[in-house]
Amino acid sequence: MPKTAHRVATFGTTIFTEINTLAQEHNAVNLGQGRPDFDGPQAAIEAAVAALRSGKANQYAPGPGTPELKTGVANHALRFYNMEIDPANGVLVTPGATEAVFCSIMGLVDPGDEVIVIEPFFDSYVPGIIMAGATPVYVPLRPPDWVFDPDELRAAFTPRTRALILNTPHNPTGRVFTRGELQTIADLCQEYDVTVISDEVYEHLVFEGSQHIPIATLPGMFERTVAIGSAGKTFGMTGWKVGWAYGHPELIAGVKRAQQFVSFATNHPAQLAVAHAFTLDSTYYEEYQALYTAKRDLMMQALDAAGLKARQPEGTYFVMADFSDVFDGDDVAFSKYLIQEIGVACIPPTAFYSREHAHIVNKQVRFAFCKGDDTLRAAGERMAKLRR
Ligand SMILES: Cc1ncc(COP(=O)(O)O)c(C=O)c1O
């Protein structure tokens, strides 16, 4: 009987599947998945339809991306971060940021290398590191402030460290790393000659009072950083699966070498639509932030009324909440209780930590607030029953 490969043997089925199934069974208001229940900009949808009808985009796109979208990514980096990116050699378009991260690991990390991962992590990072034959080394963020201990970070660096995966604005804590935190990371990466894979998919989901700083803009970091973005997040179209990696052409060349044999090319009409979305003026980004600021406020009110403690997110559409005042079990037990008895779904975050650090978040759950206001209000009404 043929067997599956050792490299995927530990992956299993994620807790997301279990939570989603349970949520459906109990007709729960689902604040689990980071999946907006509304569309992105209408102009981008119209551009997608026009691309389909044009008859010019229904065959393979150029492998590394269409010139229109690569130029869009480069112009965006100049417009928002004053970074000069070569659209021809410094940008790679991929089917979603997930593949950009995966191909960055495959293209820039060797078997036997170590890769530093900040916990809680986006769930594709660790399987990517394992598939590359490398070893993840974990540095936790701890509640209630979700900051790393600089000594713990330093201790994670060794002569075998090849890369560090950074995510800011950060899913699931809603943290936006400060310049000081980024400088600590940058100094260590320069000292140990380490590449940063910088997942910045929530770059435009930053609330007033915080600022997203791409680590590549810190002195000495451009040549050692691959930055990653996603139309799923920037333009609210997760179903399109269009992402990109950009940075120094020598690093992007490695990522491209891997990507050409993973997917080869990305959805052609969607690329043209995203290229059009990149031409939207600043009103789009202002409205996007205002929309999510109102949703964040609704979410915070709901958590407060329920008796859950949460640090107000600085960015993203996620918030972590401490339920220890209203429930005695762990995060998985609370998530199931919340679905079955209260009718709201959330995600237990121990799945985003290594086994050794999972205890750090066993009194926390993650809520996603990328949902219609009525849905958020309905969740709030149900959760009010939690308060002791
Ligand atoms: C931190 C982070 N990175 C990457 C992704 C995946 O992006 P995409 O859908 O473009 O693959 C997500 C999606 O939730 C995310 O939260």
Side-chain angles (χ1 to χ4, degrees):
M1 173 81 180
K3 289 198 191 101
T4 55
H6 289 304
R7 89 170 62 78
V8 298
T10 58
F11 295 171
T13 313
T14 71
I15 185 79
F16 296 97
T17 315
E18 200 183 334
I19 292 289
N20 274 337
T21 311
L22 207 58
Q24 271 172 6
E25 267 170 37
H26 291 268
N27 205 14
V29 178
N30 198 340
L31 306 188
Q33 246 185 338
R35 183 178 190 271
D37 57 7
F38 46 90
D39 276 344
Q42 193 59 36
I45 295 171
E46 298 304 335
V49 173
L52 284 165
R53 293 219 164 106
S54 71
K56 293 185 182 143
N58 293 322
Q59 307 301 339
Y60 290 127
T66 62
E68 293 88 343
L69 183 50
K70 289 193 296 181
T71 301
V73 171
N75 289 348
H76 173 270
L78 187 66
R79 172 176 170 188
F80 288 96
Y81 310 124
N82 206 19
M83 281 166 79
E84 283 195 30
I85 302 294
D86 169 6
N89 302 305
V91 181
L92 170 67
V93 177
T94 56
T98 309
E99 187 171 310
V101 173
F102 181 72
C103 292
S104 299
I105 299 169
M106 286 296 178
L108 302 170
V109 172
D110 279 313
D113 288 343
E114 292 174 356
V115 179
I116 296 176
V117 184
I118 295 174
E119 299 162 299
F121 44 75
F122 181 61
D123 61 348
S124 78
Y125 298 166
V126 173
I129 295 166
I130 291 170
M131 284 193 269
T135 306
V137 175
Y138 301 102
V139 177
L141 304 179
R142 290 191 170 79
D145 293 328
W146 305 110
V147 292
F148 58 79
D149 173 345
D151 293 332
E152 233 171 329
L153 181 67
R154 172 169 278 284
F157 279 79
T158 76
R160 286 169 62 200
T161 310
R162 184 72 172 270
L164 177 147
I165 306 184
L166 175 68
N167 170 218
T168 185
H170 185 251
N171 169 14
T173 65
R175 279 295 323 281
V176 176
F177 286 105
T178 62
R179 187 175 291 279
E181 288 170 310
L182 295 174
Q183 192 63 58
T184 303
I185 296 169
D187 289 346
L188 284 162
C189 289
Q190 292 184 38
E191 187 180 328
Y192 284 85
D193 196 18
V194 164
T195 304
V196 178
I197 299 169
S198 186
D199 179 344
E200 302 176 21
V201 296
Y202 299 102
E203 60 195 315
H204 288 289
L205 243 176
V206 176
F207 304 114
E208 207 178 312
S210 297
Q211 188 199 355
H212 169 60
I213 303 169
I215 196 164
T217 61
L218 268 55
M221 290 307 290
F222 181 72
E223 37 283 280
R224 58 178 66 253
T225 302
V226 171
I228 288 165
S230 169
K233 312 298 170 180
T234 294
F235 300 114
M237 305 288 202
T238 59
W240 286 10
K241 290 300 290 185
V242 175
W244 48 88
Y246 68 94
H248 194 288
E250 275 183 35
L251 293 179
I252 296 302
V255 189
K256 272 185 187 170
R257 263 181 235 160
Q259 184 269 346
Q260 62 185 331
F261 299 120
V262 177
S263 55
F264 172 65
T266 302
N267 184 308
H268 199 163
Q271 286 196 57
L272 298 185
V274 175
H276 180 74
F278 268 124
T279 65
L280 294 173
D281 66 23
S282 55
T283 329
Y284 168 71
Y285 298 96
E286 287 155 17
E287 287 174 1
Y288 182 69
Q289 280 168 359
L291 177 87
Y292 275 104
T293 302
K295 293 188 186 303
R296 178 199 63 180
D297 293 347
L298 276 176
M299 188 76 241
M300 292 306 288
Q301 282 158 21
L303 296 177
D304 190 44
L308 305 188
K309 292 176 295 209
R311 181 184 195 277
Q312 176 158 288
E314 294 150 359
T316 78
Y317 41 59
F318 300 107
V319 60
M320 293 277 268
D322 178 327
F323 56 81
S324 56
D325 286 349
V326 300
F327 187 82
D328 293 326
D330 68 10
D331 63 327
V332 174
F334 177 71
S335 302
K336 289 183 179 167
Y337 169 81
L338 198 68
I339 293 173
Q340 288 164 338
E341 305 299 327
I342 306 292
V344 176
C346 62
I347 296 290
T350 43
F352 308 144
Y353 277 76
S354 58
R355 201 170 288 170
E356 59 182 306
H357 292 147
H359 62 93
I360 294 172
V361 280
N362 68 5
K363 296 290 178 192
Q364 303 270 339
V365 282
R366 184 194 81 174
F367 291 91
F369 53 86
C370 46
K371 310 290 171 180
D373 291 357
D374 287 348
T375 303
L376 295 171
R377 282 196 197 94
E381 276 162 29
R382 290 181 181 198
M383 289 204 296
K385 286 180 254 156
L386 277 172
R387 188 173 263 283
R388 274 183 181 157

Short mmCIF file of all heavy atoms in Angstrom, two decimals, residues 352-376:
data_model
loop_
_atom_site.label_atom_id
_atom_site.label_comp_id
_atom_site.label_asym_id
_atom_site.label_seq_id
_atom_site.Cartn_x
_atom_site.Cartn_y
_atom_site.Cartn_z
N PHE A 352 -1.35 28.33 16.65
CA PHE A 352 -0.39 29.28 16.04
C PHE A 352 0.90 29.37 16.84
O PHE A 352 1.70 30.28 16.64
CB PHE A 352 -0.99 30.68 15.95
CG PHE A 352 -2.34 30.76 15.28
CD1 PHE A 352 -3.29 31.66 15.74
CD2 PHE A 352 -2.66 29.98 14.18
CE1 PHE A 352 -4.54 31.76 15.13
CE2 PHE A 352 -3.89 30.07 13.58
CZ PHE A 352 -4.84 30.97 14.05
N TYR A 353 1.07 28.46 17.81
CA TYR A 353 2.30 28.41 18.62
C TYR A 353 2.90 27.01 18.53
O TYR A 353 2.18 26.03 18.27
CB TYR A 353 1.98 28.68 20.10
CG TYR A 353 1.89 30.16 20.47
CD1 TYR A 353 0.78 30.91 20.12
CD2 TYR A 353 2.91 30.80 21.16
CE1 TYR A 353 0.68 32.25 20.44
CE2 TYR A 353 2.82 32.14 21.49
CZ TYR A 353 1.71 32.87 21.14
OH TYR A 353 1.62 34.20 21.47
N SER A 354 4.21 26.90 18.77
CA SER A 354 4.84 25.59 18.88
C SER A 354 4.29 24.92 20.13
O SER A 354 3.76 25.58 21.03
CB SER A 354 6.35 25.76 19.01
OG SER A 354 6.64 26.56 20.15
N ARG A 355 4.46 23.59 20.20
CA ARG A 355 3.94 22.86 21.36
C ARG A 355 4.54 23.41 22.66
O ARG A 355 3.85 23.57 23.65
CB ARG A 355 4.27 21.38 21.19
CG ARG A 355 3.37 20.51 22.04
CD ARG A 355 3.51 19.05 21.71
NE ARG A 355 2.93 18.72 20.42
CZ ARG A 355 3.09 17.55 19.82
NH1 ARG A 355 3.84 16.62 20.37
NH2 ARG A 355 2.53 17.31 18.66
N GLU A 356 5.84 23.74 22.62
CA GLU A 356 6.49 24.20 23.86
C GLU A 356 5.96 25.54 24.37
O GLU A 356 6.05 25.83 25.55
CB GLU A 356 8.02 24.27 23.66
CG GLU A 356 8.40 25.22 22.54
CD GLU A 356 9.90 25.29 22.27
OE1 GLU A 356 10.66 25.55 23.21
OE2 GLU A 356 10.27 25.11 21.10
N HIS A 357 5.42 26.36 23.48
CA HIS A 357 4.95 27.69 23.89
C HIS A 357 3.42 27.83 23.90
O HIS A 357 2.91 28.89 24.24
CB HIS A 357 5.53 28.77 22.98
CG HIS A 357 7.01 28.94 23.11
ND1 HIS A 357 7.82 29.30 22.06
CD2 HIS A 357 7.83 28.79 24.18
CE1 HIS A 357 9.08 29.37 22.47
NE2 HIS A 357 9.11 29.05 23.75
N ALA A 358 2.71 26.76 23.54
CA ALA A 358 1.25 26.87 23.37
C ALA A 358 0.54 27.31 24.66
O ALA A 358 -0.48 28.01 24.61
CB ALA A 358 0.67 25.54 22.89
N HIS A 359 1.12 26.96 25.81
CA HIS A 359 0.49 27.33 27.09
C HIS A 359 0.33 28.85 27.23
O HIS A 359 -0.54 29.33 27.95
CB HIS A 359 1.31 26.78 28.26
CG HIS A 359 2.70 27.35 28.32
ND1 HIS A 359 3.02 28.45 29.07
CD2 HIS A 359 3.84 26.99 27.67
CE1 HIS A 359 4.30 28.75 28.89
NE2 HIS A 359 4.82 27.88 28.05
N ILE A 360 1.17 29.61 26.51
CA ILE A 360 1.13 31.08 26.62
C ILE A 360 -0.24 31.62 26.22
O ILE A 360 -0.69 32.63 26.76
CB ILE A 360 2.24 31.70 25.72
CG1 ILE A 360 3.62 31.33 26.25
CG2 ILE A 360 2.09 33.21 25.60
CD1 ILE A 360 4.78 31.74 25.33
N VAL A 361 -0.92 30.93 25.31
CA VAL A 361 -2.20 31.46 24.82
C VAL A 361 -3.39 30.56 25.13
O VAL A 361 -4.41 30.65 24.47
CB VAL A 361 -2.19 31.74 23.30
CG1 VAL A 361 -1.51 33.05 22.99
CG2 VAL A 361 -1.64 30.59 22.52
N ASN A 362 -3.27 29.71 26.14
CA ASN A 362 -4.40 28.79 26.35
C ASN A 362 -5.60 29.45 27.05
O ASN A 362 -6.60 28.80 27.29
CB ASN A 362 -3.97 27.47 27.00
CG ASN A 362 -3.50 27.67 28.42
OD1 ASN A 362 -3.59 28.78 28.96
ND2 ASN A 362 -3.00 26.61 29.03
N LYS A 363 -5.49 30.77 27.32
CA LYS A 363 -6.65 31.51 27.83
C LYS A 363 -7.06 32.61 26.86
O LYS A 363 -7.68 33.62 27.23
CB LYS A 363 -6.32 32.15 29.20
CG LYS A 363 -6.04 31.12 30.28
CD LYS A 363 -7.31 30.38 30.67
CE LYS A 363 -7.01 29.31 31.73
NZ LYS A 363 -8.17 28.41 31.91
N GLN A 364 -6.66 32.46 25.60
CA GLN A 364 -6.95 33.48 24.59
C GLN A 364 -7.68 32.84 23.40
O GLN A 364 -7.47 31.67 23.12
CB GLN A 364 -5.63 34.07 24.02
CG GLN A 364 -4.71 34.66 25.04
CD GLN A 364 -4.96 36.14 25.27
OE1 GLN A 364 -5.55 36.82 24.43
NE2 GLN A 364 -4.52 36.63 26.41
N VAL A 365 -8.49 33.64 22.72
CA VAL A 365 -9.05 33.21 21.42
C VAL A 365 -8.95 34.37 20.44
O VAL A 365 -8.84 35.53 20.84
CB VAL A 365 -10.53 32.74 21.52
CG1 VAL A 365 -10.62 31.35 22.09
CG2 VAL A 365 -11.37 33.73 22.31
N ARG A 366 -8.99 34.02 19.15
CA ARG A 366 -8.91 35.05 18.11
C ARG A 366 -10.28 35.26 17.46
O ARG A 366 -10.94 34.30 17.07
CB ARG A 366 -7.92 34.63 17.03
CG ARG A 366 -7.71 35.72 15.98
CD ARG A 366 -7.02 35.20 14.73
NE ARG A 366 -7.94 34.55 13.83
CZ ARG A 366 -7.62 34.11 12.62
NH1 ARG A 366 -6.38 34.24 12.17
NH2 ARG A 366 -8.51 33.53 11.85
N PHE A 367 -10.66 36.52 17.35
CA PHE A 367 -11.87 36.88 16.61
C PHE A 367 -11.46 37.64 15.34
O PHE A 367 -10.54 38.47 15.38
CB PHE A 367 -12.77 37.80 17.45
CG PHE A 367 -13.39 37.11 18.63
CD1 PHE A 367 -12.75 37.11 19.87
CD2 PHE A 367 -14.61 36.45 18.51
CE1 PHE A 367 -13.32 36.47 20.97
CE2 PHE A 367 -15.18 35.81 19.61
CZ PHE A 367 -14.53 35.82 20.83
N ALA A 368 -12.17 37.38 14.23
CA ALA A 368 -11.96 38.12 12.98
C ALA A 368 -13.15 39.07 12.81
O ALA A 368 -14.30 38.64 12.90
CB ALA A 368 -11.89 37.15 11.80
N PHE A 369 -12.85 40.37 12.58
CA PHE A 369 -13.97 41.31 12.46
C PHE A 369 -14.13 41.87 11.04
O PHE A 369 -14.66 42.97 10.85
CB PHE A 369 -13.89 42.42 13.53
CG PHE A 369 -12.58 43.18 13.63
CD1 PHE A 369 -12.34 44.28 12.83
CD2 PHE A 369 -11.61 42.80 14.54
CE1 PHE A 369 -11.15 44.99 12.93
CE2 PHE A 369 -10.41 43.51 14.65
CZ PHE A 369 -10.18 44.60 13.85
N CYS A 370 -13.73 41.06 10.04
CA CYS A 370 -13.92 41.45 8.63
C CYS A 370 -15.32 41.02 8.17
O CYS A 370 -15.47 40.31 7.17
CB CYS A 370 -12.84 40.82 7.77
SG CYS A 370 -12.56 39.08 8.11
N LYS A 371 -16.33 41.40 8.94
CA LYS A 371 -17.70 40.94 8.71
C LYS A 371 -18.64 42.13 8.70
O LYS A 371 -18.31 43.19 9.28
CB LYS A 371 -18.13 39.98 9.84
CG LYS A 371 -17.13 38.88 10.13
CD LYS A 371 -17.04 37.83 9.02
CE LYS A 371 -15.87 36.90 9.28
NZ LYS A 371 -15.71 35.87 8.27
N GLY A 372 -19.83 41.93 8.09
CA GLY A 372 -20.83 42.99 8.05
C GLY A 372 -21.14 43.49 9.46
O GLY A 372 -21.08 42.71 10.43
N ASP A 373 -21.50 44.76 9.58
CA ASP A 373 -21.79 45.33 10.91
C ASP A 373 -22.91 44.58 11.62
O ASP A 373 -22.87 44.39 12.84
CB ASP A 373 -22.15 46.82 10.78
CG ASP A 373 -20.94 47.65 10.36
OD1 ASP A 373 -19.83 47.07 10.24
OD2 ASP A 373 -21.10 48.87 10.14
N ASP A 374 -23.93 44.14 10.85
CA ASP A 374 -25.04 43.40 11.48
C ASP A 374 -24.54 42.09 12.08
O ASP A 374 -24.99 41.67 13.15
CB ASP A 374 -26.14 43.11 10.45
CG ASP A 374 -26.90 44.38 10.11
OD1 ASP A 374 -26.72 45.40 10.83
OD2 ASP A 374 -27.65 44.37 9.11
N THR A 375 -23.61 41.46 11.38
CA THR A 375 -23.04 40.20 11.89
C THR A 375 -22.28 40.46 13.18
O THR A 375 -22.39 39.70 14.15
CB THR A 375 -22.09 39.60 10.81
OG1 THR A 375 -22.85 39.45 9.62
CG2 THR A 375 -21.49 38.28 11.23
N LEU A 376 -21.50 41.55 13.19
CA LEU A 376 -20.73 41.87 14.41
C LEU A 376 -21.67 42.20 15.57
O LEU A 376 -21.44 41.78 16.70
CB LEU A 376 -19.78 43.04 14.13
CG LEU A 376 -18.66 42.73 13.12
CD1 LEU A 376 -17.90 44.00 12.75
CD2 LEU A 376 -17.70 41.68 13.67
#
